[in-house]
Amino acid sequence: MTNAEIENRIECSESSRTATFGGVKVRYAFLSQRGYYPDDANKPNQDSFSIAENFAGQETDAFFGVYDGHGRDGDKCAQFTRDTLPGLISKYVGKSKNREAKARSNASDGGPPCDPHTVELTKDQTQACALKAHVEANRAMHRSPALDDSLSGTTSISAYIQGRRNRITVSNVGDSRAIIGQRIKR
């Protein structure tokens, strides 16, 4: 392959981006290179990703996900997950916060109602939201007429940053991994 052909197989951000979510400062970028298959030179890139700042209605939160498709429809599975999973996690986080706010308002004996945007979920509540969203995304993929996931699928690795809590919840499906690094100034 020529250098130009290799470069045409790469999708990447122009530079890294730095953002602060509550007490968590992150620097991120993306790069994806379509694989080379001698038998199918035009096989689509089966990788996808999602980046969502101001996640779940919170300016201090963010969501990052990487999806690695496999099989004939792996690209479609990765794209389906990219388009579905972040919204489902946001939905279940919102529902859990609303439930918690309602319970706190009922317990306050006539005090002012609790604003769901001020509710901080526990680690267990956050993990339950992520698990439920992953299971629902998988079920939705099975039901989707737009792709055949009988011999295809995707891995998923995601990080939900809750900046006010200085917490990162990592969800892993399959063999993909996340690496968290820290810059230490000396």
Side-chain angles (χ1 to χ4, degrees):
M1 294 183 79
T2 67
N3 283 342
E5 288 172 323
I6 291 170
E7 287 178 15
N8 283 335
R9 302 175 86 78
I10 296 174
E11 176 186 7
C12 65
S13 53
E14 290 185 26
S15 63
S16 64
R17 173 164 161 58
T18 302
T20 302
F21 307 104
V24 180
K25 183 176 181 180
V26 299
R27 187 176 75 168
Y28 62 89
F30 66 87
L31 183 140
S32 178
Q33 182 173 348
R34 182 167 50 105
Y36 176 68
Y37 299 90
D39 296 345
D40 188 0
N42 295 315
K43 186 173 182 175
N45 188 348
Q46 294 192 310
D47 299 338
S48 197
F49 67 93
S50 52
I51 299 170
E53 296 184 18
N54 301 317
F55 186 68
Q58 296 288 97
E59 68 180 30
T60 56
D61 293 0
F63 179 87
F64 299 89
V66 175
Y67 318 103
D68 180 10
H70 299 278
R72 189 190 68 197
D73 280 353
D75 57 320
K76 294 176 185 170
C77 293
Q79 292 163 8
F80 181 91
T81 304
R82 173 201 64 204
D83 296 341
T84 305
L85 183 62
L88 289 172
I89 292 176
S90 179
K91 174 177 119 176
Y92 290 122
V93 164
K95 283 185 173 187
S96 190
K97 285 183 173 188
N98 286 335
R99 228 181 355 263
E100 188 69 23
K102 186 174 181 180
R104 290 179 188 179
S105 293
N106 290 341
S108 70
D109 293 329
C114 180
D115 180 1
H117 287 89
T118 64
V119 170
E120 296 293 341
L121 299 180
T122 67
K123 184 171 93 170
D124 289 341
Q125 288 171 316
T126 302
Q127 289 173 347
C129 293
L131 177 62
K132 190 170 185 177
H134 281 80
V135 169
E136 184 164 328
N138 189 49
R139 288 181 179 150
M141 186 184 304
H142 290 322
R143 291 189 306 263
S144 174
L147 55 90
D148 178 6
D149 71 341
S150 60
L151 296 175
S152 299
T154 187
T155 67
S156 171
I157 183 73
S158 61
Y160 171 24
I161 298 175
Q162 295 170 281
R164 285 197 317 227
R165 301 278 309 230
N166 291 331
R167 179 184 294 150
I168 301 174
T169 301
V170 176
S171 301
N172 178 335
V173 177
D175 62 359
S176 296
R177 299 291 179 258
I179 299 171
I180 298 174
Q182 178 181 4
R183 177 182 288 181
I184 300 174
K185 295 183 180 182
R186 293 179 191 215

